[in-house]
Amino acid sequence: MSYTIPIGPYHPALEEPYKLELVCEGETVREAQLQIGFNFRAIELIAQSRNVIQNIALFERVCGICSNVHTLTYCLAVENLLGIEPPLRAQYIRVIVAELERLHSHILWAGAAAHILGFQTLFMTCFRLREIVMDLLERISGNRVNYAMNAVGGVNRDLTEPQTIRDGIRQIQKAVEGLILPVFSRDPTVRARCAGVGILTKSDAIAWGVVGPTARASGVTQDIRQAQPYLVYDRLTFSVPLQESGDVLARVLVRAMEMVESCQIIEQALDQLPGGEWKGQLFVELPPGEAVARIEAPRGEVFYYLASDGSEKPLRVKVRTPSFVNMPAVRLMLKGATLADAPLIQASIDPCYSCTDR
């Protein structure tokens, strides 16, 4: 006998509304349906009524965790349409802020995963590290959440305290390598809850078009920073962490290893940081035409399409977020899983319902 268990759309412990309907036989999930759309904000439509510069602040509100990612991708699309390239110093600053944001996102997710596992000590450790990252972002931008760093043709603020950033990054890397990675990879309780759970095979990952750490945990070697380098990523040396098992543990380990790589990227960027200009030229109108930009966000590929008719307002801005393509694959991960593992499995893709609904 099967029965349906609705989870959501409103939850006592989660800020964003979504709904999972699980068809179960006993404690085993046989089918899952995901419903989104409870948080629609019409951001793309609003963008058509604002000028190019005003839209930077608008797209920073697409996602609270990845606010910098969206303004960066939008500004890259505008710059591609204008045919301009930001100063080299600005490009390095953009990379540093982007990798700090990746660290913030991954550490936050690691803490949330530890909380779901019931590992409260690790949860508090992750959130202590998260405070270090947020403090660094505040030192750079003045803000802990929406950093307002990106401008068309450059950045809004210079980087004036490189040693402070270096010290904080080294502290984070030491904690990740010495504590978070060993616990997630070797702790028997973590392995019991995560290993062999919520498997997404490589063939299914490719067929369903998943991106980011979710894809790399299933053996798909795709990272936009290396596949189609932007900014100055082609001047930096880093590895793309990969796992083959495709389970929750693989998705945990990929993100933990990416934290180490982000720390090393930031160190290199600080070493190579050139002098010179970092601001862009102020303008309002775009030439007629179309442009696209895509970058590797913490959750995977973010894609922006921009169309202009030559006025101060975009004709169209289309946004595709990584959660939009990763969420459907949760249905595959949940089939055959136990009901108790459902919250952890759906959380293992690090979904963002806010940026998906927009």
Side-chain angles (χ1 to χ4, degrees), residues 5-73:
I5 297 179
I7 301 177
Y10 300 105
H11 309 259
L14 296 178
E15 292 80 4
E16 296 176 310
Y18 73 99
K19 185 178 182 181
L20 271 173
E21 287 190 348
L22 306 180
V23 179
C24 301
E25 291 181 3
E27 292 293 312
T28 303
V29 179
R30 297 303 182 193
E31 184 60 67
Q33 295 293 333
L34 178 69
Q35 295 181 29
I36 59 174
F38 300 98
N39 202 34
F40 180 64
R41 291 170 287 156
I43 285 181
E44 293 178 9
L45 180 64
I46 295 171
Q48 297 173 205
S49 63
R50 300 187 178 186
N51 68 41
V52 178
I53 305 302
Q54 290 171 331
N55 277 330
I56 298 176
L58 175 66
F59 286 113
E60 190 153 34
R61 272 72 186 172
V62 168
C63 176
I65 302 300
C66 301
S67 60
N68 180 77
V69 159
H70 287 278
T71 60
L72 175 56
T73 316

Side-chain angles (χ1 to χ4, degrees), residues 161-172:
E161 300 179 80
Q163 190 56 47
T164 300
I165 299 169
R166 195 186 303 273
D167 293 341
I169 289 303
R170 289 176 178 174
Q171 186 178 354
I172 292 168

Side-chain angles (χ1 to χ4, degrees), residues 251-297:
R251 293 189 277 277
V252 169
L253 293 177
V254 164
R255 287 187 176 88
M257 291 186 287
E258 285 189 4
M259 294 181 206
V260 177
E261 296 300 323
S262 289
C263 290
Q264 295 175 352
I265 288 172
I266 294 170
E267 286 258 22
Q268 293 179 65
L270 290 171
D271 291 339
Q272 299 177 20
L273 185 64
E277 290 294 323
W278 45 270
K279 289 184 178 180
Q281 295 181 349
L282 184 63
F283 79 101
V284 175
E285 293 186 359
L286 288 173
E290 299 173 296
V292 297
R294 61 181 190 146
I295 72 171
E296 188 69 28

